[in-house]
Amino acid sequence: MERIQQAIAKARATRQGRAPTEAGQPKPAADPGREAAWSALREVRLDPARLEASRIISHHPGTGATPFDLMRTNLMKHLRAQGWKRVAITSPSSGCGKTTVGLNLAFSLARQSELRILVLEMDLRRPAIVRMLGLEGRPRLADVLSGREDPEKGLLRLSANLAVGANADPVANPAELLSSAQAAAAIDAIEARFKPDVILFDLPPVLVIDDTLAFMDQVDCALMIAAAEESTVAEIDRAGRELADYTKVLGVVLNKCRFLDRTEGYGYDEY
């Protein structure tokens, strides 16, 4: 375990190679290369009815988006303080709504026009983003991760500052792909080309398979999504401890809670 943690720390330090940024610093000058890369991505039009059916509600401001806006504020505070970009979104078990929460968080982040947001679907056994967003063209981010396609082939632009990499079909041997040097190089290439401010990785549940832990050396921190009345305290504790062996766990988000007071939102506590 100590050797694994040392390897993860070394990979993270090599990948970052940058000092933490402070709030209030002047905005960096426009990057023509980044602008050209984003403009080259194929843009897709989203159906509002499909988003509503998939419980994606934070693409416009309103009461329903407030919990995700609060999550956005807390998340950006941590990322800016540490100079981090890469955030894993996972859960203890299946059915917790991690993809729904992750997409809502992405749309909330993208409403801040100065940010560029990428969502990469790493739940390769049970991909859901294509169905939830109604994407066409059968995208296959896995081909980018394996080196068979260039980054532009695996990404779609949802708006001027939000892009997603998804998979239309399940992928064979996902743990081996996620832990490969080729996948790490592909993600580095995506980050270098598009220079996003935040990358959200939609990962499988921690306690079901080892795919997520195999990928943890590629992220800076993690958010865990738990389901009210479904996720047990023991599951949350075990999953949180396993994640904490590999990365910083920023918090646990309580999803599917039907009994919150009007003044309450979601759980967001330091693990």
Side-chain angles (χ1 to χ4, degrees), residues 62-253:
T63 303
T66 299
F68 300 105
D69 294 346
L70 291 170
M71 192 190 311
R72 172 190 69 192
T73 300
N74 279 285
L75 177 66
M76 291 308 300
K77 176 183 176 181
H78 284 285
L79 298 188
R80 285 168 173 156
Q82 299 296 330
W84 291 342
K85 289 186 178 183
R86 301 184 179 191
V87 184
I89 308 289
T90 185
S91 59
S93 56
S94 60
C96 293
K98 62 177 178 57
T99 303
T100 303
V101 172
L103 287 173
N104 273 295
L105 176 59
F107 278 102
S108 177
L109 286 162
R111 295 207 326 271
Q112 295 189 335
S113 59
E114 74 276 9
L115 297 178
R116 297 294 176 100
I117 310 301
L118 281 182
V119 179
L120 300 182
E121 185 171 49
M122 299 293 156
D123 194 343
L124 303 180
R125 297 175 192 264
R126 298 182 64 180
I129 289 179
V130 168
R131 171 181 54 81
M132 294 177 68
L133 297 183
L135 301 178
E136 298 180 353
R138 306 197 66 77
R140 191 170 172 85
L141 178 64
D143 287 343
V144 177
L145 299 179
S146 64
R148 291 194 292 269
E149 293 285 0
D150 293 330
E152 291 82 357
K153 298 292 186 180
L155 299 178
L156 298 171
R157 186 158 52 86
L158 308 184
S159 67
N161 63 332
L162 173 61
V164 61
N167 297 281
D169 303 296
V171 177
N173 303 318
E176 289 79 1
L177 176 59
L178 291 176
S179 62
S180 69
Q182 179 58 57
I187 293 168
D188 288 344
I190 289 172
E191 182 174 348
R193 186 168 304 183
F194 297 97
K195 298 180 174 64
D197 297 285
V198 181
I199 309 176
L200 301 179
F201 295 93
D202 179 24
L203 284 155
V206 176
L207 302 181
V208 178
I209 45 180
D210 66 341
D211 297 11
T212 295
L213 297 182
F215 188 75
M216 280 296 103
D217 63 333
Q218 297 302 316
V219 305
D220 298 315
C221 55
L223 280 174
M224 184 163 57
I225 315 303
E229 302 181 78
E230 297 177 28
S231 302
T232 67
V233 173
E235 286 177 335
I236 295 170
D237 183 66
R238 179 184 164 196
R241 292 182 184 280
E242 289 197 17
L243 284 173
D245 284 338
Y246 294 86
T247 193
K248 176 68 174 177
V249 182
L250 293 184
V252 179
V253 179

